[in-house]
């Protein structure tokens, strides 16, 4: 094996991504220390790491969200670098800056790149400078009149977005001029309360949108590559449920356009590490526009790994140590099709209510082209303090049909008892004609799938009760 990029790394996260980071470190010969809250002392990550260090009480704000505590934990355990995973501190420029100040390597982009992309209005402006089209939109809105003029010029519906938001937080769709003043006021107040910044802007609202994102990698040597797209249109309340690659909506020509645009933007901000450039694809006009850039490893990165055969987390770690990306753009092949289903401890028929508790049984599926990323094991207690992701099932096939069939087989073989899961929901989606035809837009889950036959589509797709039994043991 070549020289490890670091001797020891602190994993500043929990759940499946903490386990995923530890696996990448094992492969690279890097020792891991995992930061755990009091609720996570018995986690799989704590067992797998060389060492676990407790960083505070269960609530994230008292542990996983404390920059100073994490840096002290890293330095105190001899870690040279911190991997932030996704969520928590992964996109806080202040944290990346603190790491640099304290001589700990932040495994991620520069604080400047995080900051530039974290300000969504700044991001669309940088994108435009890089020749990447944004949805027709305004600058910072200073008055109701300015928003009204924009909407009159471009027509309703429009969408109000908080500049400090992102990922769907602080957004409002407005369908008529009457609703505009109140919506603006509410959006600005919400943005102020949530982010301490009332800045909002307005865009033309794309009604039939697909969410398509391009995976990029950049290093300190001026190299930027892309690894194709992921289609994340199957979502509910801005939570992605199913992701796939390649997108059923793109042609090779459109794929090349989006990828070129993503690489141009990444170059513009000297992007280093793994990043995702998010686009909205208008299913009616087949036009596409830049939305935002996420400066972290994403939950859905495995679908890209399955079709490219590359290890994105290992690349992040090597890049942070100053190594170049381990392959060239010309060596990237997109092979077959991959789909990911996020399995949460939630009851889809009860409005996705979370159901923490003990896993009375847990047997994840195996099989050709099937990968499961998880931190769960039989007897594990799912704490109520964090999001309820139990596992990601990723299925790869030579084409979309084979990937879907392998996913169906994997979900059929998944044995879980003790908590509700979203497995029946996924089985219902996979057999739906719209999903089979690749016709899903960002509103499809809520407006078509869930509202149509309500629980019917979910329960009828899960007729077998012995295996894949996701009812609570008591019910
Ligand atoms: C949009 C859009 C349509 N038109 N912007 C959602 C997350 C954030 N990244 C930006 N998002 C969107 N921005 C314009 N101009 C559609 C979305 C969007 C969405 C909007 C409403 C309800 C669900 C959605 C799911 C994904 C994307």
């Amino acid at each position: 094996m070549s020289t490890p990029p670091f001797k020891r790394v602190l994993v500043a996260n929990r759940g499946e991504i903490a386990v995923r980071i530890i696996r990448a470190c094992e492969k690279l010969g890097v020792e891991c220390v995992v930061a755990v809250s009091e609720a996570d002392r018995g986690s799989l990550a704590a067992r797998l790491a060389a060492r676990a260090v407790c960083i505070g009480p269960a609530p994230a704000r008292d542990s996983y969200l404390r920059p100073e505590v994490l840096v002290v934990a890293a330095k105190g355990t001899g870690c040279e670098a911190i991997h932030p995973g996704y969520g928590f501190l992964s996109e806080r420029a202040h944290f990346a800056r603190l790491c640099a100040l304290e001589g700990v390597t932040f495994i991620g982009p520069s604080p400047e790149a995080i900051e530039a992309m974290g300000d969504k209005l700044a991001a669309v402006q940088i994108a435009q400078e890089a020749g990447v089209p944004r949805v027709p939109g305004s600058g910072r809105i200073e008055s109701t009149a300015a928003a009204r003029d924009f909407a009159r010029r471009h027509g309703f519906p429009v969408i109000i977005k908080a500049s400090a938001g992102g990922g769907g937080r602080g957004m409002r769709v407005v369908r008529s001029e009457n609703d505009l003043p109140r919506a603006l006021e509410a959006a600005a107040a919400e943005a102020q309360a949530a982010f301490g910044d009332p800045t909002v802007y307005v865009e033309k609202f794309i009604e039939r949108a697909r969410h398509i994102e391009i995976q990029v990698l950049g290093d300190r040597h001026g190299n930027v590559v892309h690894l194709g797209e992921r289609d994340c249109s199957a979502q509910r309340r801005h939570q992605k449920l199913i992701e796939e690659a390649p997108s059923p909506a793109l042609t090779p020509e459109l794929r090349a356009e989006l990828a070129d645009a993503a690489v141009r933007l990444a170059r513009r901000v000297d992007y280093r590490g793994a990043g995702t450039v998010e686009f909205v694809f208008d299913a009616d006009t087949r036009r596409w526009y830049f939305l935002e850039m996420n400066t972290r490893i994403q939950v859905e990165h495995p679908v890209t790994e399955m079709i490219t055969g590359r290890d994105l987390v290992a690349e992040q770690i090597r890049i942070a140590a100053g190594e170049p990306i381990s392959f060239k753009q010309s060596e990237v092949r997109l092979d077959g099709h991959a789909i990911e289903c996020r399995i949460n401890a939630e009851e889809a028929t009860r409005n996705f209510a979370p159901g923490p508790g003990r896993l009375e049984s847990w047997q994840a599926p195996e099989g050709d082209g099937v990968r499961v990323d998880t931190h769960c094991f039989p007897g594990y207690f799912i704490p109520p303090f964090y999001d309820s992701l139990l596992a990601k099932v990723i299925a790869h096939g030579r084409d979309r049909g084979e990937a879907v069939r392998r996913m169906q087989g994997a979900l059929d073989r998944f044995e879980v008892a003790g908590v509700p899961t979203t497995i029946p929901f996924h089985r219902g989606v996979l057999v739906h004609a719209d999903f089979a035809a690749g016709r899903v837009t960002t509103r499809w889950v809520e407006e078509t799938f869930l509202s149509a036959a309500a629980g019917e589509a979910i329960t009828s797709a899960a007729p077998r009760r012995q295996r894949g039994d996701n009812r609570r043991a008591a019910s």
Side-chain angles (χ1 to χ4, degrees):
M1 192 169 30
S2 52
T3 354
F6 297 105
K7 183 170 176 291
R8 196 177 296 143
V9 162
L10 182 82
V11 180
N13 214 303
R14 63 175 309 282
E16 65 86 19
I17 196 64
V19 173
R20 172 73 188 85
I21 296 163
I22 293 167
R23 299 285 186 217
C25 286
E26 274 170 5
K27 187 165 112 180
L28 295 169
V30 175
E31 203 177 291
C32 276
V33 177
V34 63
V36 294
S37 73
E38 283 167 12
D40 285 336
R41 287 177 186 278
S43 72
L44 183 58
R47 282 202 220 163
L48 294 174
R51 210 183 140 180
V53 54
C54 189
I55 49 160
R61 85 185 90 82
D62 301 322
S63 48
Y64 298 107
L65 285 170
R66 297 190 61 187
E68 296 78 11
V69 173
L70 285 155
V71 171
V72 167
K75 292 173 79 168
T77 55
C79 291
E80 297 162 89
I82 299 184
H83 197 306
Y86 51 68
F88 297 134
L89 297 174
S90 60
E91 295 183 280
R92 300 271 181 93
H94 161 77
F95 182 57
R97 218 166 254 133
L98 180 68
C99 287
L101 208 63
E102 295 291 327
V104 178
T105 302
F106 175 77
I107 301 178
S110 68
E112 292 76 23
I114 297 174
E115 208 151 57
M117 294 299 117
D119 179 334
K120 305 302 163 186
L121 193 48
V124 292
Q125 281 157 356
I126 293 168
Q128 274 191 303
E129 286 164 24
V132 176
R134 67 175 286 203
V135 193
S138 73
R140 168 206 275 265
I141 288 292
E142 312 268 12
S143 69
T144 312
R148 190 197 56 215
D149 291 348
F150 175 88
R152 282 187 184 163
R153 211 157 352 106
H154 296 274
F156 285 92
V158 296
I159 182 167
I160 306 172
K161 296 184 176 182
S163 189
R169 292 168 306 163
M171 300 190 341
R172 260 188 179 61
V173 178
V174 183
R175 298 193 173 272
S176 79
E177 194 162 316
N178 269 343
D179 300 337
L180 197 55
R182 258 184 310 253
L184 270 175
E185 207 167 302
E190 200 175 295
Q192 172 65 41
F195 319 113
D197 176 0
T199 307
V200 296
Y201 59 104
V202 183
E203 286 178 352
K204 175 108 188 99
F205 181 62
I206 310 295
E207 294 262 23
R208 297 219 317 129
R210 290 187 83 110
H211 172 131
I212 299 179
E213 55 188 35
I214 301 278
Q215 177 71 54
V216 297
L217 286 174
D219 65 23
R220 290 173 198 269
H221 307 274
N223 304 302
V224 177
V225 300
H226 75 84
L227 294 102
E229 81 281 10
R230 295 182 288 261
D231 190 317
C232 311
S233 299
Q235 18 185 316
R236 175 187 169 272
R237 301 197 179 165
H238 301 293
Q239 291 295 315
K240 295 169 185 165
L241 298 164
I242 302 177
E243 306 94 348
E244 61 182 301
S247 168
L250 289 193
T251 58
E253 293 72 32
L254 283 165
R255 173 169 305 112
E257 288 177 24
L258 266 73
D260 278 359
V263 168
R264 278 203 303 280
L265 177 61
R267 285 195 190 286
R268 188 83 177 189
V269 294
D270 278 323
Y271 199 81
R272 186 208 319 147
T276 301
V277 183
E278 204 179 295
F279 297 91
V280 62
F281 178 79
D282 188 328
D284 294 322
T285 64
R286 298 173 63 76
R287 294 175 72 95
W288 53 271
Y289 310 92
F290 169 76
L291 280 183
E292 51 190 76
M293 181 171 189
N294 301 316
T295 56
R296 58 170 191 273
I297 190 78
Q298 294 204 220
V299 177
E300 61 271 25
H301 76 276
V303 296
T304 300
E305 295 185 326
M306 293 288 266
I307 65 161
T308 60
R310 309 288 172 181
D311 183 330
L312 291 169
V313 180
E315 291 294 332
Q316 285 188 294
I317 297 166
R318 285 194 292 244
I319 290 166
E323 295 178 29
I325 301 166
S326 71
F327 53 88
K328 296 184 184 59
Q329 185 68 64
S330 60
E331 297 170 315
V332 175
R333 292 262 174 294
L334 306 181
D335 166 38
H337 200 100
I339 301 181
E340 171 178 282
C341 290
R342 298 190 188 188
I343 312 301
N344 284 69
E346 292 171 0
E347 184 73 79
T349 55
R350 292 203 186 98
N351 216 14
F352 289 78
R358 194 166 302 279
L359 291 172
E360 275 147 29
S361 61
W362 177 267
Q363 178 72 61
E366 292 169 16
D368 284 347
V370 174
R371 162 176 166 182
V372 179
D373 281 19
T374 186
H375 59 296
C376 291
F377 51 85
Y380 176 61
F381 181 83
I382 295 137
F385 307 100
Y386 314 104
D387 89 22
S388 66
L389 184 67
L390 297 175
K392 306 186 299 203
V393 181
I394 310 99
H396 181 264
R398 278 161 295 188
D399 54 30
R400 190 169 187 267
E402 186 173 54
V404 169
R405 287 191 298 279
R406 285 179 165 174
M407 178 64 80
Q408 287 169 324
L411 296 182
D412 286 352
R413 298 192 300 276
F414 213 138
E415 294 187 35
V416 189
V419 299
T421 80
T422 51
I423 293 170
F425 164 84
H426 287 297
R427 296 172 71 172
V429 170
L430 291 171
V431 300
H432 197 287
D434 288 345
F435 187 84
R439 266 198 307 261
V440 169
T441 62
T442 51
R443 283 152 62 183
W444 181 84
V445 168
E446 283 165 274
E447 292 179 12
T448 305
F449 182 76
L450 289 174
S451 68
E456 186 58 24
I458 296 172
T459 42
S460 65
R464 299 159 65 199
R465 268 342 196 157
Q466 309 83 285
R467 288 172 139 200
D469 186 346
N470 305 300
R471 291 171 301 176
R472 286 168 172 284
S475 69

